[in-house]
Amino acid sequence: LAPRVEAYVAQPPGDDPDAWVKAAALWKDLGALAPSREPDHVALVARGFGALAERWPDQAPLWNNHGLASLNDGRTDDAERAYAKALALLPDDAYLHNDVGILLESLGRLEEAEATYRRATVLDPEGDTWWANLGDVLRKRGRATEAIAAYREASRLAPDRWYDHRLWIRRIRGAP
């Protein structure tokens, strides 16, 4: 897969009539490579999504994937730029706000991460992942009561998924 991705990044299809077909094949290849923890693959996935996003700049999912891949590659500046472009195109997408929150949290910008996760919970109150992420940030900020409330909401929305957060609630309260 890596050689095909490298070839695409080196020579994007331009205005080739089959450009979307080639892009779809690349997206599939990038999806297959994305779980790899090989540093070369992580960087290649970031470059690949970057090439797709530059070719089709009006596609928010490409910018979002470029942001996520760049974050995984440790290129937080590129991730932030990619997420900004995605948000400009799709400002009311809870999944995207959650991904931006993950970036901000990784940068230690907890106040901004909290606001971003809160925005995701407003956009989609049924999103258990953003409630759990909000709880994590609130816990890191020392706001135990609010963290517990966010964890409880995540657990209510997905009771089988958030066992670890129920443990955090116990720890915050001082129970073993």
Side-chain angles (χ1 to χ4, degrees):
L1 297 177
R4 287 201 310 255
V5 174
E6 285 285 7
Y8 184 97
V9 171
Q11 184 79 33
D15 291 328
D16 178 341
D18 295 326
W20 270 108
V21 173
K22 291 176 184 175
L26 174 63
W27 199 328
K28 181 180 175 194
D29 289 348
L30 291 172
L33 281 176
S36 172
R37 294 294 170 226
E38 293 290 324
D40 290 346
H41 289 172
V42 173
L44 185 58
V45 170
R47 287 196 323 271
F49 276 120
L52 286 173
E54 291 295 336
R55 172 62 177 87
W56 288 285
D58 62 339
Q59 297 299 310
L62 293 176
W63 288 113
N64 188 34
N65 285 339
H66 179 47
L68 178 60
S70 295
L71 177 59
N72 289 339
D73 192 30
R75 295 177 20 234
T76 56
D77 288 346
D78 289 346
E80 197 160 5
R81 279 190 293 277
Y83 284 140
K85 290 180 181 183
L87 280 172
L89 294 166
L90 210 57
D92 294 329
D93 185 271
Y95 289 93
L96 180 53
H97 281 273
N98 184 67
D99 289 350
V100 172
I102 292 168
L103 168 68
L104 295 168
E105 187 175 354
S106 76
L107 294 172
R109 292 162 48 188
L110 299 182
E111 187 175 331
E112 291 172 81
E114 177 188 340
T116 304
Y117 291 138
R118 284 192 187 281
R119 177 75 176 134
T121 66
V122 169
L123 292 168
D124 178 10
E126 301 298 310
D128 59 289
T129 300
W130 19 102
W131 281 105
N133 288 343
L134 175 60
D136 289 343
V137 166
L138 291 167
R139 178 179 47 81
K140 289 175 185 175
R141 297 190 71 201
R143 293 173 34 209
T145 303
E146 292 174 85
I148 289 170
Y151 287 147
R152 280 196 173 137
E153 186 61 14
S155 294
R156 185 191 69 76
L157 292 166
D160 295 336
R161 187 168 177 210
W162 296 111
Y163 177 76
D164 290 342
H165 290 94
R166 288 190 291 279
L167 292 177
W168 271 115
I169 291 170
R170 290 175 53 108
R171 287 186 193 133
I172 289 170
R173 289 187 169 159

